[in-house]
Amino acid sequence: MAFAPGTTFGPYEVLALIGAGGMGEVYRARDPRLGRDVAIKTIAPHLARDPEVLARFRREARSVAALSHPNILAIHDVGQEGDTWFVVTELLAGETLRHRMRRGPLAWSEVVAVGVAVAEGLASAHARGIVHRDIKPENLFITSDERVKILDFGLARPEATADAAGAATTTSATAPGTVAGTAGYMSPEQIQAVPLDGRTDIFSLGCVLYEMLAGAPPFRGASPAESAAAVLRDPVAPLAGGAAPPSLEQAIIHCLEKNREVRFQSAMDLAFALKAASGRAGAGAVPGGRETAAPRVAVLPFRNLSADPENDYFADGVTEDVIAHLAKLRSLDVISRASVAGFKKRDLALREIGRQLGVATVLDGSVRRAGNRVRIVAELIDTRDDRLLWADTYDRDLTDIFAIQTDVALRIAGALHAELSPDERSRIHKPPTLDLEAYALYVHGRQLMTRHTEIGLRDSLTSFERAIARDPDFALAHVGLARTYMEAVVSGHLALPPHLAFARAKEAIARALAADDRLGDAHGIAALIRFVADLDWSGAEQAFQRALELSPGSADIHDYYGWLCSAMGRSDDAIRLVRRAAELDPLAHRTDVASELLRAGRFEEALAIAQRVMASEPGFARGHSTAGWAYLLTGRAAEGLAALERAVAAAPGSTLFLAQLAQGYAMTGDEVRARALLTQLTETSRHSYVAPYHFAYVYTGLGDADTALDWLERAYAERAGAIYGVKGSFLFASLRAQPRFQALLKKMNLA
């Protein structure tokens, strides 16, 4: 029986019936505590009356709720209202993969994107011992912004384990010999009702991928029994040759091995094979077009084999310049410098490095410098089979270093069949500077800036200024200087009045463009200045578009452009741009992806990403702060405050993290500690600049809207902190209905 609008399940209020089936009904409902809509699935009474079914449902719901993966439908709550059991999940807009497939054949690039997203979601489930057991097009969902979600873990159960004697066992309550799943997608071992592990889901996903590419499932019969017999008996028909890469077809066929011992042994192996087959790094999104993806390459940090360890910066300069050259090419994706930096010691095999970076091809090299001579060895390697694609050794005078870097970049492009326009070829040949010492200082400054600390920013300014003193026309050094000043304003890590930082940034970027007006990075920072300092939204967007024309492979430009779209309330555009930045720089921009998801109200997805950032970078303050807010916004106050406290500990000089911690304390009812930190901020402001935006955080948390708005209006006047992003900030959500807040947005041309 359907429940009428207005019916409540615990704190949730039913808004409308979405659908119904044999398992129960699904409703759109409202969670008034967090101000968001959710989906509620009720369990059919005849199922809820079965104690065994109900016990399994509750146990499995708890297991799946703990997965917290962006490609798995998030479970928020499980409860009982009277005689009705229900489960609360995130509310999705879009269609199932089955509906998508009915509209016509899918491009092979879409097949890859869906496959990677599902495989990565399954890998997360399998890591926690959960097997889905019913992967099929009806249980895969494409959201309206083209993300992929795995639905309905209703048949899921803990995977088989081995007992002391080595025999397979399972902790599932499912009766022995029971067959559960969907005919035509079940694995041979599932049909035979033997204990299962994650490899059964790999077989089922292979059936789905085959059907997406071929237009028909690999195993068909006139009845479910005949379909099951075909799975056990019939060989897989070869896929018809076409536009899809042969390696993609081979990966799909490999999923469908009847013997699970020779199938892909893990979902992550399958995800890697799909990425490698197409050269893409899947991010859970379906490509909008049908274009062939650009080949991807990672330039690993060149190893310093010189006797002097000070030449590390010289080796880093070689790496940096080769990457910068390749980022100018539209027909090639190159992983950015920040993501490859962590692999300098080569602690992992190249195959594993390629897997983590989402590439099949890496450049491995070394530099040996002795006096005025340099020896560079470069090898381009296919990580899937350790095949050498190209190698060369350069023994040259030090003055030839930029010519060597240019040649290496061109040889990589040639080996990967990347087409170069005459303009791209011309810009690759242009050296950034003729002063090697100036270049080393620039590289050092870049490294210091990415630490995102007060000391790092101060030292990076010094390095850039020393580089400019040696070569006043060194455009990249001017860009680095401007970017550092902008980072100081936005982050608040450097106690510098905004008007002074903006003036210096504008002067530096003007000098950069005067020296080289075809430098994409310069146009990117110019765009950043336009919207952060001048609130010139249209001018900034034009500058970003020009920057991407010149440097289509720049992760930083995509990231900053995402900030602009986010500030303007264009959430979907912002998420696409920061995800693209994360593709180009997988280990550097994940925090920004999580932040944009928080601003879009997609808290569970943000939390999943933030948790991974915290685990991989325990000393990264922004990772902890982003995770902290993700925890708080999903109702996990203790974990949220602990993460915000770790952010303050990781960056003790930052008033940004201190203010956010105070806001967190206030929002969770600890006014004493919130006001103690407010006093600390006030004392700091007596001898050092503290952004008014940071004071606004605290007063918003304390519920003092008028004082918070006083500080926001002052932040607007000074262009302080991240005032440009106030419109969509979840930290100021409680102020949005205030007339003064709306008036502020109007002054900023954001109403």
Side-chain angles (χ1 to χ4, degrees):
M1 163 179 137
F3 293 92
T7 304
T8 58
F9 291 95
Y12 309 100
E13 180 183 356
V14 170
L15 301 178
L17 177 67
I18 297 175
M23 300 292 290
E25 293 91 26
V26 181
Y27 298 89
R28 185 188 189 100
R30 184 73 172 170
D31 181 351
R33 299 168 301 176
L34 295 175
R36 66 179 176 187
D37 286 358
V38 296
I40 290 184
K41 182 175 182 178
T42 61
I43 309 303
H46 72 280
L47 295 175
R49 285 193 292 269
D50 185 329
E52 185 177 333
V53 171
L54 187 58
R56 186 169 70 248
F57 157 72
R58 295 171 65 185
R59 181 172 60 252
E60 291 167 357
R62 284 196 298 270
S63 298
V64 177
L67 294 178
S68 189
H69 190 279
N71 297 123
I72 295 175
L73 180 73
I75 293 180
H76 299 321
D77 197 4
V78 174
Q80 181 181 17
E81 187 70 24
D83 295 331
T84 302
W85 281 90
F86 62 91
V87 59
V88 182
T89 72
E90 62 180 313
L91 183 67
L92 301 178
E95 62 184 349
T96 65
L97 177 60
R98 175 64 72 199
H99 281 95
R100 170 69 68 89
M101 292 163 65
R102 285 173 181 160
R103 297 207 305 269
L106 282 75
W108 69 263
S109 57
E110 292 180 281
V111 176
V112 169
V114 171
V116 169
V118 176
E120 290 182 344
L122 289 174
S124 176
H126 296 167
R128 289 180 175 266
I130 300 295
V131 182
H132 189 286
R133 298 198 303 161
D134 198 23
I135 294 296
K136 58 185 178 181
E138 290 79 1
N139 281 341
L140 302 176
F141 196 89
I142 312 297
T143 67
S144 55
D145 58 351
E146 300 199 305
R147 293 173 292 124
V148 181
K149 293 281 187 176
I150 305 172
L151 308 181
D152 200 355
F153 271 80
L155 290 179
R157 72 177 184 183
E159 70 176 85
T161 58
D163 62 18
T169 63
T170 180
T171 56
S172 173
T174 303
T178 300
V179 177
T182 301
Y185 300 95
M186 290 190 289
S187 66
E189 60 267 27
Q190 200 170 358
I191 295 169
Q192 294 164 340
V194 299
L196 303 177
D197 59 26
R199 291 172 291 182
T200 189
D201 288 341
I202 292 172
F203 184 94
S204 300
L205 179 53
C207 292
V208 173
L209 297 175
Y210 185 103
E211 186 174 358
M212 291 173 70
L213 204 57
F219 306 104
R220 285 169 284 178
S223 67
E226 290 183 15
S227 295
V231 169
L232 295 174
R233 177 192 65 226
D234 296 344
V236 181
L239 284 156
S247 53
L248 172 58
E249 299 175 6
Q250 292 165 9
I252 294 173
I253 298 299
H254 191 42
C255 292
L256 299 174
E257 296 282 358
K258 297 187 189 303
N259 181 354
R260 62 184 174 185
E261 297 301 326
V262 295
R263 207 177 293 157
F264 283 110
Q265 296 300 288
S266 76
M268 281 309 301
D269 284 347
L270 171 57
F272 177 81
L274 292 173
K275 293 175 186 177
S278 66
R280 289 188 58 83
V286 178
R290 296 177 177 238
E291 297 180 1
T292 301
R296 291 167 61 85
V297 63
V299 179
L300 301 182
F302 277 68
R303 287 168 287 182
N304 173 32
L305 302 183
S306 310
D308 186 355
E310 288 298 316
N311 281 322
D312 276 354
Y313 293 131
F314 179 78
D316 291 340
V318 175
T319 311
E320 172 115 1
D321 206 42
V322 172
I323 291 173
H325 281 327
L326 295 174
K328 298 171 185 175
L329 307 183
R330 190 168 299 278
S331 59
L332 188 68
D333 278 358
V334 59
I335 301 300
S336 294
R337 59 185 73 83
S339 284
V340 299
F343 299 104
K344 191 168 186 175
K345 293 182 179 179
R346 307 294 199 277
D347 293 332
L348 301 173
L350 290 181
R351 179 185 176 97
E352 176 60 19
I353 292 174
R355 187 194 69 77
Q356 291 192 23
L357 294 174
V359 299
T361 311
V362 300
L363 182 75
D364 194 12
S366 62
V367 177
R368 186 184 301 275
R369 179 179 174 183
N372 291 322
R373 296 288 294 180
V374 63
R375 178 185 177 90
I376 293 180
V377 177
E379 296 179 334
L380 191 66
I381 300 167
D382 187 325
T383 62
R384 294 167 292 186
D385 54 12
D386 288 329
R387 182 163 48 94
L388 188 64
L389 302 177
W390 162 78
D392 210 340
T393 300
Y394 302 86
D395 280 302
R396 305 274 187 87
D397 287 337
L398 199 57
T399 53
D400 291 336
I401 186 63
F402 294 121
I404 296 172
Q405 293 166 171
T406 296
D407 187 65
V408 170
L410 291 172
R411 297 288 292 273
I412 292 172
L416 297 179
H417 308 292
E419 297 181 4
L420 278 72
S421 69
D423 178 66
E424 289 172 338
R425 191 174 294 275
S426 171
R427 288 192 292 121
I428 280 182
H429 277 284
K430 182 177 180 179
T433 178
L434 297 178
D435 189 313
L436 297 178
E437 181 61 26
Y439 193 75
L441 288 165
Y442 162 76
V443 172
H444 192 197
R446 283 282 316 210
Q447 292 174 332
L448 293 166
M449 181 180 58
T450 56
R451 294 177 185 174
H452 301 289
T453 64
E454 180 178 2
I455 295 174
L457 291 179
R458 288 191 184 280
D459 290 346
S460 69
L461 290 174
T462 301
S463 286
F464 291 137
E465 288 166 349
R466 289 176 61 196
I468 292 167
R470 292 187 63 89
D471 181 359
D473 294 326
F474 188 2
L476 279 175
H478 288 294
V479 171
L481 195 65
R483 184 181 176 194
T484 306
Y485 280 121
M486 295 304 295
E487 170 73 15
V489 173
V490 172
S491 69
H493 294 325
L494 190 59
L496 195 66
H499 72 276
L500 181 58
F502 289 147
R504 292 177 179 175
K506 289 179 178 180
E507 178 186 1
I509 211 64
R511 293 182 65 182
L513 289 168
D516 186 357
D517 67 352
R518 299 183 64 73
L519 187 61
D521 285 345
H523 287 277
I525 298 301
L528 180 67
I529 294 171
R530 282 191 174 187
F531 81 84
V532 171
D534 303 330
L535 303 180
D536 177 3
W537 311 106
S538 61
E541 185 147 27
Q542 291 174 10
F544 276 130
Q545 290 168 355
R546 176 58 174 157
L548 288 177
E549 287 177 10
L550 295 169
S551 294
S554 169
D556 290 341
I557 295 171
H558 282 90
D559 199 49
Y560 293 146
Y561 196 175
W563 295 6
L564 170 73
C565 293
S566 179
M568 296 173 70
R570 289 159 47 188
S571 180
D572 289 347
D573 289 338
I575 291 171
R576 275 194 291 271
L577 283 160
V578 297
R579 282 196 189 279
R580 178 58 176 155
E583 284 185 1
L584 293 166
D585 213 341
L587 306 182
H589 289 291
R590 290 178 297 172
T591 301
D592 287 326
V593 175
S595 295
E596 290 305 329
L597 290 169
L598 286 177
R599 290 171 70 91
R602 289 156 57 176
F603 303 144
E604 296 288 350
E605 293 175 71
L607 178 58
I609 294 173
Q611 286 173 325
R612 292 198 292 271
V613 174
M614 278 200 306
S616 63
E617 301 177 72
F620 185 34
R622 281 191 62 201
H624 289 295
S625 70
T626 306
W629 287 110
Y631 280 127
L632 286 169
L633 293 168
T634 53
R636 298 161 70 174
E639 291 167 287
L641 293 175
L644 292 177
E645 288 165 354
R646 287 194 294 270
V648 171
S654 170
T655 58
L656 167 68
F657 300 128
L658 197 68
Q660 289 192 2
L661 176 58
Q663 184 177 14
Y665 283 145
M667 288 173 58
T668 55
D670 193 343
E671 185 174 335
V672 173
R673 283 205 280 186
R675 290 197 177 277
L677 293 183
L678 177 60
T679 300
Q680 186 176 336
L681 287 169
T682 303
E683 288 300 317
T684 300
S685 70
R686 300 187 195 284
H687 56 79
S688 184
Y689 182 80
V690 176
Y693 201 72
H694 298 170
F695 283 104
Y697 286 145
V698 188
Y699 283 105
T700 301
L702 290 169
D704 188 345
D706 284 337
T707 306
L709 286 162
D710 289 342
W711 284 106
L712 283 179
E713 287 168 354
R714 180 173 165 184
Y716 161 72
E718 298 179 10
R719 304 296 194 269
I723 185 64
Y724 63 87
V726 70
K727 178 178 181 178
S729 175
F730 50 87
L731 298 178
F732 297 114
S734 63
L735 302 180
R736 290 174 187 164
Q738 296 282 337
R740 287 176 63 191
F741 188 85
Q742 293 301 317
L744 175 63
L745 295 185
K746 187 174 182 179
K747 286 193 290 186
M748 297 174 66
N749 295 317
L750 287 174

